[in-house]
Amino acid sequence: MKKIIISTLLSIFAVFALVGCGEKETKQEKVAYKYTTVQVYEQACIKCHGKHGEGNPEKKTPALNDRTPAEMAQDLYDVKNGGTGFGGSGTDHEIMEHNMKKLIDKGYDYDIDSMAEFLSYLAKNQ
Ligand code: HEC
């Protein structure tokens, strides 16, 4: 039963993701990602940040489901770009920046807006 719910949710999200992508192609250069946002989250983030992005106090990983997509995009931007440059919030994410570099090396790169939407979607559907 749980599996069915999750796969239903994921397919609903896939529709959102497709709609989102269509809009963006006009504005941005098209980037080819090896995995979809959902695959990246499930394969590279879930073990530390939890099934619903709720975080894990034992591993000292913060929740990722407690902010708006815009705020989330800002934090995702920071962990990908070292918290500096345009849009950087100046927060310190040394551990996650290190993790993120390694994950990107493994092919787990993702579109920031798409990941932010996905996380807020997880938050609303716990
Ligand atoms: C090995 C465990 C681990 C994995 C895997 C991991 N994270 Fe993290 N993440 C952390 C820890 C620990 C922190 C808190 C320390 C820090 O921010 O440097 C964190 C912090 C973050 C933050 C900042 C949160 C805040 O409160 O601003 C974001 C955003 C984030 N992770 C996104 C991701 C994404 C997206 C993935 C998958 C691509 C991922 N993480 C995979 C351990 C992990």
Side-chain angles (χ1 to χ4, degrees):
M1 188 60 190
K2 256 195 163 154
K3 267 217 149 122
I4 297 172
I5 294 173
I6 290 170
S7 57
T8 310
L9 294 181
L10 291 180
S11 39
I12 294 170
F13 173 71
V15 174
F16 277 106
L18 286 175
V19 174
C21 283
E23 282 166 12
K24 242 188 280 146
E25 274 173 24
T26 47
K27 286 185 258 162
Q28 286 177 4
E29 262 182 64
K30 207 171 156 188
V31 186
Y33 294 109
K34 191 169 171 192
Y35 302 104
T36 65
T37 303
V38 176
Q39 285 171 329
V40 170
Y41 191 78
E42 290 189 330
Q43 293 172 30
C45 317
I46 213 165
K47 66 171 176 167
C48 291
H49 289 284
K51 215 166 156 186
H52 301 287
E54 71 277 19
N56 181 345
E58 266 170 46
K59 291 188 180 179
K60 296 197 169 69
T61 45
L64 299 178
N65 62 7
D66 56 352
R67 54 207 98 170
T68 66
E71 288 163 343
M72 195 66 243
Q74 175 78 75
D75 292 322
L76 290 167
Y77 181 92
D78 286 348
V79 300
K80 268 203 196 185
N81 298 282
T84 54
F86 175 75
S89 67
T91 46
D92 190 10
H93 294 300
E94 264 180 45
I95 300 171
M96 192 58 223
E97 282 166 30
H98 173 80
N99 291 344
M100 200 62 240
K101 279 200 190 93
K102 281 207 195 156
L103 290 172
I104 288 175
D105 283 349
K106 287 188 194 158
Y108 291 116
D109 200 2
Y110 53 85
D111 177 73
I112 286 176
D113 292 329
S114 171
M115 183 61 86
E117 285 293 334
F118 178 60
L119 289 166
S120 97
Y121 178 80
L122 283 183
K124 282 188 225 138
N125 293 282
Q126 312 199 38

